[in-house]
Protein backbone atom coordinates (compact mmCIF):
# COMPACT_ATOMS: atom_id res chain seq x y z
CA UNK A 1 0.00 0.00 0.00
CA UNK A 2 1.30 3.47 -0.88
CA UNK A 3 0.38 6.33 1.41
CA UNK A 4 0.93 10.00 0.89
CA UNK A 5 2.68 11.66 3.86
CA UNK A 6 -0.46 13.48 4.97
CA UNK A 7 -2.73 10.50 4.42
CA UNK A 8 -4.80 12.43 1.93
CA UNK A 9 -4.67 9.57 -0.51
CA UNK A 10 -4.32 5.83 -0.12
CA UNK A 11 -3.70 3.34 -2.88
CA UNK A 12 -4.36 -0.26 -1.96
CA UNK A 13 -4.93 -3.53 -3.67
CA UNK A 14 -8.55 -3.86 -4.60
CA UNK A 15 -10.44 -5.24 -1.58
CA UNK A 16 -12.74 -8.24 -1.31
CA UNK A 17 -15.82 -8.68 0.83
CA UNK A 18 -15.67 -11.96 2.72
CA UNK A 19 -19.35 -11.94 3.80
CA UNK A 20 -22.06 -10.46 1.59
CA UNK A 21 -25.80 -10.90 1.06
CA UNK A 22 -26.88 -10.23 -2.51
CA UNK A 23 -30.39 -11.77 -2.39
CA UNK A 24 -32.06 -12.65 -5.66
CA UNK A 25 -34.30 -11.28 -8.40
CA UNK A 26 -35.10 -7.55 -8.29
CA UNK A 27 -33.14 -6.93 -5.09
CA UNK A 28 -30.04 -8.67 -6.49
CA UNK A 29 -30.15 -6.46 -9.56
CA UNK A 30 -30.62 -3.38 -7.39
CA UNK A 31 -27.84 -4.00 -4.85
CA UNK A 32 -25.14 -5.65 -6.94
CA UNK A 33 -23.72 -2.34 -8.24
CA UNK A 34 -23.24 -1.24 -4.61
CA UNK A 35 -20.43 -3.81 -4.27
CA UNK A 36 -18.50 -2.30 -7.17
CA UNK A 37 -15.47 -1.44 -5.01
CA UNK A 38 -14.93 -5.13 -4.28
CA UNK A 39 -13.30 -7.56 -6.69
CA UNK A 40 -14.72 -10.68 -5.08
CA UNK A 41 -17.19 -11.54 -2.37
CA UNK A 42 -18.20 -14.60 -0.44
CA UNK A 43 -21.90 -14.71 -1.22
CA UNK A 44 -24.25 -15.92 1.51
CA UNK A 45 -26.63 -18.75 0.65
CA UNK A 46 -29.62 -17.77 2.84
CA UNK A 47 -32.09 -17.29 0.01
CA UNK A 48 -35.64 -18.57 0.20
CA UNK A 49 -35.33 -21.47 -0.50
CA UNK A 50 -31.65 -21.67 0.51
CA UNK A 51 -28.71 -22.56 -1.75
CA UNK A 52 -28.20 -26.14 -0.59
CA UNK A 53 -26.74 -28.15 -3.45
CA UNK A 54 -23.96 -27.63 -5.97
CA UNK A 55 -26.66 -27.27 -8.58
CA UNK A 56 -28.37 -24.49 -6.62
CA UNK A 57 -25.01 -22.72 -6.26
CA UNK A 58 -24.24 -22.93 -9.97
CA UNK A 59 -27.67 -21.55 -10.85
CA UNK A 60 -27.36 -18.73 -8.30
CA UNK A 61 -23.87 -17.85 -9.51
CA UNK A 62 -25.23 -17.60 -13.07
CA UNK A 63 -28.06 -15.30 -11.92
CA UNK A 64 -25.52 -13.05 -10.19
CA UNK A 65 -23.29 -12.91 -13.25
CA UNK A 66 -26.30 -12.18 -15.46
CA UNK A 67 -27.32 -9.30 -13.18
CA UNK A 68 -23.85 -7.67 -13.21
CA UNK A 69 -23.88 -4.25 -14.83
CA UNK A 70 -21.67 -3.76 -17.86
CA UNK A 71 -18.12 -2.99 -16.79
CA UNK A 72 -18.39 -4.19 -13.15
CA UNK A 73 -15.56 -6.64 -12.56
CA UNK A 74 -16.78 -8.89 -9.78
CA UNK A 75 -16.35 -12.56 -8.96
CA UNK A 76 -18.91 -14.14 -6.67
CA UNK A 77 -17.44 -16.84 -4.43
CA UNK A 78 -20.31 -19.19 -3.80
CA UNK A 79 -21.27 -20.98 -0.59
CA UNK A 80 -23.64 -23.78 0.33
CA UNK A 81 -26.14 -23.61 3.16
CA UNK A 82 -25.47 -26.53 5.49
CA UNK A 83 -28.50 -28.65 6.36
CA UNK A 84 -28.81 -31.88 8.28
CA UNK A 85 -29.36 -33.60 4.94
CA UNK A 86 -26.38 -32.12 3.03
CA UNK A 87 -24.61 -34.75 0.95
CA UNK A 88 -20.85 -34.86 1.72
CA UNK A 89 -20.01 -35.96 -1.83
CA UNK A 90 -21.91 -33.06 -3.36
CA UNK A 91 -19.94 -30.64 -1.17
CA UNK A 92 -16.63 -32.27 -1.99
CA UNK A 93 -17.28 -32.27 -5.74
CA UNK A 94 -18.45 -28.63 -5.72
CA UNK A 95 -15.32 -27.58 -3.82
CA UNK A 96 -12.96 -29.56 -6.05
CA UNK A 97 -14.64 -28.01 -9.13
CA UNK A 98 -14.10 -24.56 -7.54
CA UNK A 99 -17.81 -23.93 -7.76
CA UNK A 100 -17.95 -23.17 -4.03
CA UNK A 101 -15.46 -21.58 -1.67
CA UNK A 102 -17.06 -22.67 1.61
CA UNK A 103 -20.10 -24.04 3.42
CA UNK A 104 -22.17 -21.94 5.82
CA UNK A 105 -23.56 -23.10 9.16
CA UNK A 106 -26.68 -21.32 10.37
CA UNK A 107 -27.99 -22.65 13.65
CA UNK A 108 -31.73 -23.08 12.94
CA UNK A 109 -33.61 -19.95 13.94
CA UNK A 110 -30.52 -17.81 14.60
CA UNK A 111 -31.08 -15.19 11.90
CA UNK A 112 -32.80 -14.16 8.64
CA UNK A 113 -33.87 -17.22 6.59
CA UNK A 114 -32.22 -19.74 8.87
CA UNK A 115 -35.22 -22.02 9.40
CA UNK A 116 -33.62 -24.79 7.31
CA UNK A 117 -30.38 -24.54 9.29
CA UNK A 118 -28.88 -27.10 11.61
CA UNK A 119 -30.73 -28.13 14.77
CA UNK A 120 -28.51 -31.01 15.79
CA UNK A 121 -24.87 -30.71 14.81
CA UNK A 122 -24.37 -34.46 15.26
CA UNK A 123 -26.53 -34.98 12.18
CA UNK A 124 -24.19 -32.83 10.13
CA UNK A 125 -21.05 -34.65 11.32
CA UNK A 126 -20.59 -36.77 8.18
CA UNK A 127 -20.39 -33.68 5.99
CA UNK A 128 -18.25 -31.75 8.51
CA UNK A 129 -15.82 -34.68 8.67
CA UNK A 130 -15.60 -34.72 4.88
CA UNK A 131 -15.01 -30.96 4.83
CA UNK A 132 -12.21 -31.32 7.36
CA UNK A 133 -10.62 -34.05 5.25
CA UNK A 134 -10.90 -32.12 1.97
CA UNK A 135 -10.13 -28.65 3.36
CA UNK A 136 -13.51 -26.99 2.75
CA UNK A 137 -13.86 -23.99 5.10
CA UNK A 138 -16.87 -23.84 7.39
CA UNK A 139 -18.36 -20.37 7.79
CA UNK A 140 -20.20 -20.02 11.06
CA UNK A 141 -23.05 -17.80 12.15
CA UNK A 142 -21.86 -17.95 15.74
CA UNK A 143 -25.00 -17.56 17.81
CA UNK A 144 -27.16 -20.04 19.65
CA UNK A 145 -30.87 -19.69 18.99
CA UNK A 146 -31.91 -21.06 22.39
CA UNK A 147 -34.71 -18.76 23.60
CA UNK A 148 -33.41 -19.12 27.16
CA UNK A 149 -30.17 -17.36 26.22
CA UNK A 150 -30.19 -13.57 26.28
CA UNK A 151 -29.70 -12.14 22.79
CA UNK A 152 -26.61 -10.20 23.91
CA UNK A 153 -24.97 -13.42 25.17
CA UNK A 154 -25.67 -15.64 22.20
CA UNK A 155 -22.25 -15.36 20.58
CA UNK A 156 -20.29 -16.11 23.75
CA UNK A 157 -22.58 -19.04 24.57
CA UNK A 158 -22.24 -20.40 21.03
CA UNK A 159 -18.46 -20.40 21.32
CA UNK A 160 -18.59 -22.29 24.58
CA UNK A 161 -21.38 -24.74 23.79
CA UNK A 162 -20.96 -25.37 20.08
CA UNK A 163 -17.79 -24.02 18.49
CA UNK A 164 -15.18 -25.08 21.04
CA UNK A 165 -16.50 -28.67 21.21
CA UNK A 166 -16.77 -28.86 17.41
CA UNK A 167 -13.20 -27.68 16.95
CA UNK A 168 -11.97 -30.08 19.61
CA UNK A 169 -13.72 -32.90 17.78
CA UNK A 170 -12.52 -31.85 14.31
CA UNK A 171 -9.28 -29.90 14.76
CA UNK A 172 -8.54 -30.15 11.02
CA UNK A 173 -11.70 -28.25 10.10
CA UNK A 174 -10.99 -24.71 8.89
CA UNK A 175 -13.50 -22.37 10.49
CA UNK A 176 -14.33 -18.71 9.82
CA UNK A 177 -16.27 -17.21 12.70
CA UNK A 178 -18.39 -14.71 10.81
CA UNK A 179 -19.22 -11.20 11.96
CA UNK A 180 -17.49 -11.41 15.32
CA UNK A 181 -19.23 -8.96 17.66
CA UNK A 182 -17.74 -9.52 21.10
CA UNK A 183 -14.46 -9.37 22.97
CA UNK A 184 -15.13 -13.05 23.74
CA UNK A 185 -15.08 -13.84 20.02
CA UNK A 186 -11.89 -11.87 19.47
CA UNK A 187 -10.17 -13.58 22.39
CA UNK A 188 -11.30 -16.99 21.23
CA UNK A 189 -9.80 -16.43 17.77
CA UNK A 190 -6.59 -15.02 19.21
CA UNK A 191 -6.24 -18.04 21.46
CA UNK A 192 -6.63 -20.58 18.67
CA UNK A 193 -3.49 -22.17 17.34
CA UNK A 194 -4.66 -22.92 13.82
CA UNK A 195 -7.62 -23.21 11.52
CA UNK A 196 -9.65 -20.31 12.88
CA UNK A 197 -10.19 -16.81 11.53
CA UNK A 198 -12.89 -14.16 11.93
CA UNK A 199 -14.61 -11.53 9.83
CA UNK A 200 -15.61 -8.12 11.14
CA UNK A 201 -18.42 -5.91 9.81
CA UNK A 202 -18.41 -2.16 9.29
CA UNK A 203 -21.29 -1.43 11.64
CA UNK A 204 -19.86 -3.39 14.57
CA UNK A 205 -16.65 -1.34 14.35
CA UNK A 206 -18.68 1.89 14.48
CA UNK A 207 -21.72 1.34 16.69
CA UNK A 208 -22.46 0.23 20.19
CA UNK A 209 -25.91 -0.65 21.46
CA UNK A 210 -26.58 2.87 22.69
CA UNK A 211 -26.46 4.07 19.11
CA UNK A 212 -29.25 1.63 18.34
CA UNK A 213 -31.40 1.97 21.46
CA UNK A 214 -30.77 5.19 23.41
CA UNK A 215 -32.92 8.22 22.60
CA UNK A 216 -35.11 6.26 20.18
CA UNK A 217 -34.99 2.88 18.48
CA UNK A 218 -33.10 2.85 15.19
CA UNK A 219 -34.28 -0.13 13.20
CA UNK A 220 -31.68 0.44 10.49
CA UNK A 221 -28.98 -0.45 13.01
CA UNK A 222 -30.66 -3.72 13.95
CA UNK A 223 -28.70 -6.69 12.67
CA UNK A 224 -27.60 -10.09 13.89
CA UNK A 225 -25.50 -10.73 15.81
CA UNK A 226 -26.91 -7.68 17.57
CA UNK A 227 -24.73 -4.62 18.19
CA UNK A 228 -23.08 -4.98 21.61
CA UNK A 229 -21.65 -2.81 24.42
CA UNK A 230 -18.89 -0.29 23.90
CA UNK A 231 -16.14 -2.47 25.34
CA UNK A 232 -16.89 -5.09 22.69
CA UNK A 233 -16.74 -2.49 19.94
CA UNK A 234 -13.34 -1.39 21.20
CA UNK A 235 -12.09 -5.00 21.21
CA UNK A 236 -13.25 -5.42 17.59
CA UNK A 237 -11.46 -2.24 16.58
CA UNK A 238 -8.24 -3.41 18.21
CA UNK A 239 -8.51 -6.70 16.35
CA UNK A 240 -9.19 -4.98 13.02
CA UNK A 241 -6.19 -2.68 13.22
CA UNK A 242 -3.86 -5.19 14.92
CA UNK A 243 -2.41 -6.52 11.69
CA UNK A 244 -3.27 -10.05 12.87
CA UNK A 245 -4.03 -11.89 9.61
CA UNK A 246 -6.80 -13.90 11.26
CA UNK A 247 -9.07 -10.83 11.17
CA UNK A 248 -10.43 -9.41 7.93
CA UNK A 249 -13.37 -7.60 6.38
CA UNK A 250 -16.74 -9.24 5.83
CA UNK A 251 -19.25 -6.42 5.55
CA UNK A 252 -22.31 -8.62 6.13
CA UNK A 253 -24.05 -6.02 3.97
CA UNK A 254 -27.60 -7.37 4.16
CA UNK A 255 -30.28 -5.45 2.25
CA UNK A 256 -33.89 -5.34 3.42
CA UNK A 257 -36.41 -2.84 2.11
CA UNK A 258 -37.22 0.21 4.21
CA UNK A 259 -40.72 -1.21 4.73
CA UNK A 260 -39.29 -4.45 6.11
CA UNK A 261 -36.92 -2.58 8.45
CA UNK A 262 -39.34 0.07 9.72
CA UNK A 263 -41.92 -2.32 11.06
CA UNK A 264 -43.37 -3.60 14.32
CA UNK A 265 -41.19 -6.66 13.75
CA UNK A 266 -38.32 -5.38 11.66
CA UNK A 267 -35.83 -7.52 9.76
CA UNK A 268 -32.20 -7.87 10.84
CA UNK A 269 -29.56 -6.59 8.46
CA UNK A 270 -27.59 -3.44 7.62
CA UNK A 271 -26.96 -2.48 4.00
CA UNK A 272 -23.44 -1.08 4.18
CA UNK A 273 -21.90 -1.98 0.82
CA UNK A 274 -22.15 1.50 -0.78
CA UNK A 275 -20.23 3.17 2.07
CA UNK A 276 -18.17 0.26 3.36
CA UNK A 277 -14.74 1.47 2.29
CA UNK A 278 -15.38 5.12 3.16
CA UNK A 279 -16.43 4.05 6.66
CA UNK A 280 -13.52 1.65 7.02
CA UNK A 281 -10.96 4.28 6.04
CA UNK A 282 -12.56 6.60 8.62
CA UNK A 283 -12.20 3.95 11.34
CA UNK A 284 -8.59 3.13 10.46
CA UNK A 285 -7.73 6.84 10.33
CA UNK A 286 -9.26 7.34 13.79
CA UNK A 287 -7.16 4.45 15.05
CA UNK A 288 -4.00 5.87 13.46
CA UNK A 289 -3.73 2.67 11.45
CA UNK A 290 -4.26 3.61 7.80
CA UNK A 291 -1.13 1.62 6.98
CA UNK A 292 -2.97 -1.54 8.11
CA UNK A 293 -6.10 -0.97 6.05
CA UNK A 294 -4.83 -2.90 3.06
CA UNK A 295 -4.04 -5.96 5.16
CA UNK A 296 -7.52 -5.99 6.67
CA UNK A 297 -9.45 -5.25 3.48
CA UNK A 298 -7.33 -6.80 0.75
CA UNK A 299 -4.67 -9.25 1.96
CA UNK A 300 -5.67 -11.30 4.99
CA UNK A 301 -8.86 -12.68 3.44
CA UNK A 302 -7.29 -14.05 0.27
CA UNK A 303 -4.46 -15.57 2.31
CA UNK A 304 -6.94 -17.38 4.55
CA UNK A 305 -8.89 -18.72 1.57
CA UNK A 306 -5.73 -19.72 -0.32
CA UNK A 307 -6.29 -17.17 -3.10
CA UNK A 308 -3.97 -14.56 -4.57
CA UNK A 309 -4.66 -10.94 -3.62
CA UNK A 310 -6.12 -8.83 -6.41
CA UNK A 311 -3.67 -7.23 -8.83
CA UNK A 312 -5.82 -4.19 -9.44
CA UNK A 313 -5.47 -1.14 -7.22
CA UNK A 314 -8.10 1.13 -5.72
CA UNK A 315 -7.59 4.72 -4.61
CA UNK A 316 -9.17 6.39 -1.60
CA UNK A 317 -8.95 10.16 -1.31
CA UNK A 318 -9.68 12.22 1.78
CA UNK A 319 -11.84 15.20 0.80
CA UNK A 320 -11.87 18.40 2.86
CA UNK A 321 -15.62 18.69 2.50
CA UNK A 322 -17.76 15.74 3.51
CA UNK A 323 -19.05 13.65 0.63
CA UNK A 324 -22.78 13.20 0.10
CA UNK A 325 -24.31 10.10 1.62
CA UNK A 326 -25.45 7.81 -1.18
CA UNK A 327 -29.24 7.80 -1.50
CA UNK A 328 -31.35 4.71 -0.80
CA UNK A 329 -31.00 2.11 -3.52
CA UNK A 330 -34.15 1.50 -5.49
CA UNK A 331 -35.01 -2.10 -6.14
CA UNK A 332 -38.05 -3.60 -7.79
CA UNK A 333 -39.16 -4.54 -4.24
CA UNK A 334 -38.82 -1.02 -2.85
CA UNK A 335 -36.03 1.24 -1.58
CA UNK A 336 -33.19 -0.10 0.60
CA UNK A 337 -31.64 2.44 2.97
CA UNK A 338 -27.85 2.77 3.06
CA UNK A 339 -26.02 2.46 6.39
CA UNK A 340 -25.58 5.87 8.03
CA UNK A 341 -22.48 5.74 10.24
CA UNK A 342 -23.57 8.85 12.15
CA UNK A 343 -20.54 10.92 11.13
CA UNK A 344 -19.67 12.78 7.95
CA UNK A 345 -17.75 10.76 5.40
CA UNK A 346 -14.59 12.29 3.99
CA UNK A 347 -12.97 9.31 2.31
CA UNK A 348 -14.02 8.66 -1.24
CA UNK A 349 -13.22 5.82 -3.58
CA UNK A 350 -11.94 7.17 -6.83
CA UNK A 351 -13.26 5.43 -9.86
CA UNK A 352 -12.61 6.15 -13.49
CA UNK A 353 -15.68 8.44 -13.71
CA UNK A 354 -15.01 10.52 -10.55
CA UNK A 355 -11.29 11.05 -11.13
C1 LIG B 1 -28.47 -11.29 7.56
C2 LIG B 1 -29.55 -11.27 6.49
O1 LIG B 1 -30.36 -10.34 6.46
O2 LIG B 1 -29.56 -12.18 5.66
N1 LIG B 1 -28.87 -10.39 8.61
C3 LIG B 1 -28.07 -9.80 9.51
O3 LIG B 1 -28.59 -9.13 10.41
N2 LIG B 1 -26.77 -9.94 9.48
C4 LIG B 1 -28.26 -12.66 8.05
C5 LIG B 1 -27.02 -12.84 8.87
O4 LIG B 1 -25.90 -12.76 8.37
O5 LIG B 1 -27.16 -13.08 10.08
ZN1 LIG C 1 -24.71 -12.25 7.08
Amino acid sequence: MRNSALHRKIVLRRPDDWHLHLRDGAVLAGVLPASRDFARAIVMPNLVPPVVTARDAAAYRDRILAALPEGQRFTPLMTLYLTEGTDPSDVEAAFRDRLIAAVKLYPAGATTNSASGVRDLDRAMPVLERMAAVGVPLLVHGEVSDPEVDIFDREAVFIERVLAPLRARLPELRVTLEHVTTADGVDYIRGAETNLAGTLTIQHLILNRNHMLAGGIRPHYYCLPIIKREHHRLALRRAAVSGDPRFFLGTDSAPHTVAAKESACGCAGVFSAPVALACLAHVFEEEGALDRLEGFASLHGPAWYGLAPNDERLTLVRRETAIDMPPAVDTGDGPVAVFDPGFPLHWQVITEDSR
Side-chain angles (χ1 to χ4, degrees):
M1 185 172 89
R2 296 185 297 276
N3 254 327
S4 74
L6 289 171
H7 290 319
R8 287 277 169 261
K9 183 173 153 189
I10 313 169
V11 180
L12 65 164
R13 279 181 189 263
R14 205 160 155 229
D16 303 302
D17 186 349
W18 299 98
H19 181 139
L20 176 65
H21 297 269
L22 287 173
R23 315 303 190 201
D24 213 343
V27 178
L28 166 65
V31 303
L32 194 47
S35 287
R36 71 176 69 80
D37 297 336
F38 298 97
R40 299 171 284 199
I42 290 253
V43 180
M44 289 297 129
N46 62 332
L47 306 181
V48 192
V51 178
V52 171
T53 63
R55 222 179 128 153
D56 298 339
Y60 185 31
R61 179 201 53 201
D62 293 347
R63 294 198 296 280
I64 295 169
L65 294 176
L68 265 183
E70 177 94 24
Q72 184 175 346
R73 290 183 303 282
F74 177 79
T75 305
L77 302 171
M78 307 310 293
T79 59
L80 295 183
Y81 183 116
L82 182 65
T83 69
E84 292 175 8
T86 295
D87 172 6
S89 300
D90 188 51
V91 170
E92 177 172 353
F95 186 72
R96 290 198 191 281
D97 291 348
R98 296 176 180 270
L99 171 61
I100 61 158
V103 172
K104 175 79 186 241
L105 164 64
Y106 289 101
T111 187
T112 310
N113 304 338
S114 61
S116 333
V118 175
R119 259 158 249 281
D120 177 0
L121 208 53
D122 279 346
R123 305 185 72 154
M125 277 325 274
V127 63
L128 294 170
E129 280 162 8
R130 184 77 69 91
M131 286 166 58
V134 175
V136 185
L138 179 72
L139 314 182
V140 175
H141 182 106
E143 287 191 293
V144 291
S145 51
D146 179 349
E148 309 266 293
V149 179
D150 188 274
I151 189 168
F152 289 96
D153 298 335
R154 288 180 178 189
E155 182 171 292
V157 171
F158 179 89
I159 291 169
E160 188 192 311
R161 279 196 201 161
V162 183
L163 189 53
L166 172 64
R167 294 187 57 252
R169 195 163 162 187
L170 280 179
E172 301 306 316
L173 184 65
R174 292 167 59 75
V175 176
T176 314
L177 181 57
E178 303 273 69
H179 39 51
V180 180
T181 63
T182 57
D184 312 68
V186 168
D187 290 346
Y188 181 67
I189 291 170
R190 284 221 173 94
E193 274 171 25
T194 56
N195 289 341
L196 184 64
T199 59
L200 298 169
T201 80
I202 302 295
Q203 68 268 19
H204 291 95
L205 294 172
I206 292 175
L207 305 175
N208 65 37
R209 64 194 200 181
N210 282 1
H211 294 109
M212 179 177 57
L213 295 171
I217 186 162
R218 293 181 187 74
H220 292 282
Y221 289 165
Y222 175 63
C223 61
L224 290 170
I226 199 155
I227 306 280
K228 306 292 193 307
R229 287 175 176 275
E230 178 66 358
H231 93 89
H232 294 297
R233 185 184 76 101
L234 296 177
L236 303 178
R237 282 197 167 219
R238 283 193 297 274
V241 302
S242 65
D244 185 330
R246 292 173 294 184
F247 296 101
F248 46 86
L249 176 64
T251 65
D252 193 18
S253 181
H256 292 278
T257 61
V258 170
K261 295 287 296 172
E262 297 176 7
S263 150
C265 184
C267 291
V270 169
F271 178 53
S272 61
V275 289
L277 290 180
C279 290
L280 201 60
H282 181 102
V283 167
F284 275 66
E285 182 181 33
E286 278 183 345
E287 297 292 326
L290 280 171
D291 57 331
R292 302 226 163 130
L293 180 61
E294 184 178 42
F296 182 73
S298 315
L299 302 177
H300 302 167
W304 170 248
Y305 287 103
L307 300 167
N310 298 306
D311 282 331
E312 288 174 300
R313 301 298 199 270
L314 173 145
T315 303
L316 277 154
V317 178
R318 194 183 194 291
R319 305 282 188 207
E320 273 318 313
T321 330
I323 59 168
D324 292 335
M325 271 291 295
V329 168
D330 259 315
T331 72
D333 278 7
V336 174
V338 177
F339 173 59
D340 175 359
F343 48 72
L345 291 173
H346 287 269
W347 288 95
Q348 187 175 32
V349 174
I350 300 296
T351 58
E352 246 86 292
D353 352 320
S354 60
R355 206 180 282 274

